[in-house]
Amino acid sequence: MTTPVETARRADRARRWRQPTVWLRLLALGLFALVPLVIPSFQATDLAIKIAIFGALVASYDVVIGYTGIVSFGHAMFFGFGAYAVALSVGRFGAPTYGHLLLGFLIAMAVSAVVAVLIGAFSLRVKLIFFAMITLAFAEFAGILAVQWSALSGGEDGLSPKLPGVFAIGYDGGRILGIPVTGKLVTYYFVLAVCAALFLVMARFVASPLGRTLQAIRDNELRAEALGVPTFALQIVSSSFASVVAAIIGGCYVMWVRYVNPESALGVPLMLDVLLMVIIGGIGTLWGGLIGAAVLLTARLLLPDLRGLAALLGGSEIAQRLTERWLLVFGVLFVLVVFFFPKGVLGTARGALARRRAGAAQEG
């Protein structure tokens, strides 16, 4: 006998490929894949892959804050675990090999899962801002440890690992269709493939029965407990899952930039960036992380170059001062985004579409 839930799932699967969002996601993936082939600029390639990396990181944070309702300020710490684990594995065990690279990812995943369970077991009993403060304290401790344990982590100078085989800087794979196949190009597509796979896994996670239960806990934890849902255990599962994803993304990050230090991978500014991105993209949207990352990283790349705009405006002193204080311009842009998109860009767009469909249904 088919239950109503099974019937609804079959209907969702049947109309999956008719939804425009699926084609938009495939279009976005195609654009990411074309960037290094169409735009011969390292700056554009670097921006594109960092949008993919931080978009996936923000999505993993959205699993915690948007789908589970846990406010954590320590999520970037797991990103740092992944970056340091991969950098240490390929840099401290002799000549880098693919085995060292894989070992680095496995260590990062294991350490992140264990630490997330321990932090959750000790901290999830407290709620709201108290839990956030505890996670921030753990993140600060990890950053201080990375600075002080310089014999292992390189201290503030950080680590500059060399990657093996096709990922090495000096790799030359010849040309395909006239395009030179370098280690950087191979790394770009490897990291892009990992980010795309992680997005699919996270989308499956939040749409699964477990993900829907987590959303029920987020909406009304007391009611979920009254229904017999093990809220504490499921929150730990969600936090651990998101932490493992963040660790994998951290490993991909160090593969791309080939450098890691406490400030770039464990610092509080990184966590603030993730928070800004998830707010801009939309909390509880998952894919909004890509929009948030694109807006923040593009603004940060272009706004410091606005001095040329002042010259075009005839050397106006006011324009010159404004362009020199690009952070002020960035702050104004952020306020405008929050004002006009209170649920984030994607969240507001989804709300508008839902109201439009509801209106059309009533008219019909």
Side-chain angles (χ1 to χ4, degrees):
M1 180 178 177
T2 305
T3 65
V5 174
E6 290 174 340
T7 304
R9 285 179 185 168
R10 288 178 182 174
D12 284 342
R13 283 194 291 268
R15 60 172 178 264
R16 177 177 301 169
W17 293 102
R18 296 198 297 270
Q19 294 177 350
T21 53
V22 174
W23 299 105
L24 284 175
R25 291 163 192 168
L26 289 175
L27 176 63
L29 181 61
L31 291 175
F32 275 113
L34 285 175
V35 166
L37 306 179
V38 176
I39 306 176
S41 161
F42 176 75
Q43 195 176 40
T45 307
D46 183 61
L47 176 63
I49 200 62
K50 283 184 177 175
I51 289 174
I53 290 172
F54 283 97
L57 176 63
V58 174
S60 70
Y61 184 58
D62 201 18
V63 171
V64 177
I65 190 172
Y67 288 90
T68 313
I70 301 173
V71 181
S72 169
F73 290 154
H75 192 68
M77 174 178 64
F78 301 104
F79 176 85
F81 285 172
Y84 269 101
V86 171
L88 288 169
S89 183
V90 297
R92 299 286 186 178
F93 298 146
T97 64
Y98 294 118
H100 292 153
L101 187 62
L102 178 61
L103 180 64
F105 276 102
L106 293 177
I107 292 174
M109 294 165 65
V111 170
S112 297
V114 171
V115 173
V117 169
L118 291 176
I119 292 177
F122 284 110
S123 312
L124 276 173
R125 296 294 184 188
V126 295
K127 304 296 179 185
L128 301 176
I129 195 66
F130 303 105
F131 175 78
M133 289 298 103
I134 290 174
T135 56
L136 179 62
F138 276 105
E140 280 290 301
F141 174 74
I144 293 171
L145 186 64
V147 172
Q148 297 297 324
W149 201 355
S150 57
L152 180 69
S153 65
E156 293 182 350
D157 294 334
L159 302 170
S160 299
K162 294 180 180 178
L163 298 182
V166 296
F167 302 117
I169 286 289
Y171 174 74
D172 184 1
R175 288 178 174 269
I176 296 179
L177 300 176
I179 299 169
V181 180
T182 63
K184 205 67 177 175
L185 185 68
V186 174
T187 306
Y188 177 93
Y189 285 110
F190 175 80
V191 172
L192 181 61
V194 172
C195 290
L198 290 175
F199 260 109
L200 291 177
V201 172
M202 287 187 283
R204 181 71 186 122
F205 180 84
V206 298
S208 67
L210 172 59
R212 296 183 187 280
T213 306
L214 291 171
Q215 293 170 52
I217 296 172
R218 174 201 62 191
D219 294 340
N220 195 325
E221 186 173 346
L222 290 176
R223 179 176 294 178
E225 285 180 347
L227 292 172
V229 175
T231 57
F232 180 69
L234 294 185
Q235 285 174 330
I236 290 180
V237 170
S238 172
S239 175
S240 303
F241 168 77
S243 302
V244 169
V245 172
I248 297 173
I249 297 166
C252 291
Y253 174 77
V254 81
M255 285 185 68
W256 176 251
V257 301
R258 295 159 200 263
Y259 176 73
V260 59
N261 70 351
E263 185 179 357
S264 66
L266 288 167
V268 173
L270 174 63
M271 190 63 233
L272 293 178
D273 284 350
V274 173
L275 270 173
L276 289 176
M277 290 174 189
V278 77
I279 291 172
I280 293 172
I283 296 176
T285 59
L286 197 70
W287 299 92
L290 279 175
I291 297 174
V295 170
L296 188 68
L297 295 177
T298 304
R300 187 168 289 169
L301 176 69
L302 297 181
L303 286 179
D305 294 332
L306 284 181
R307 295 180 179 86
L309 181 62
L312 292 176
L313 295 175
S316 166
E317 185 177 352
I318 295 177
Q320 183 72 26
R321 289 180 180 277
L322 283 176
T323 53
E324 286 177 355
R325 293 166 175 76
W326 64 271
L327 277 174
L328 173 65
V329 179
F330 177 77
V332 172
L333 283 176
F334 179 71
V335 171
L336 290 175
V337 168
V338 173
F339 183 78
F340 288 106
F341 301 96
K343 295 182 180 178
V345 175
L346 191 56
T348 305
R350 283 181 177 178
L353 284 174
R355 288 193 296 273
R356 186 175 178 181
R357 286 172 184 166
Q362 287 178 353
E363 290 176 1

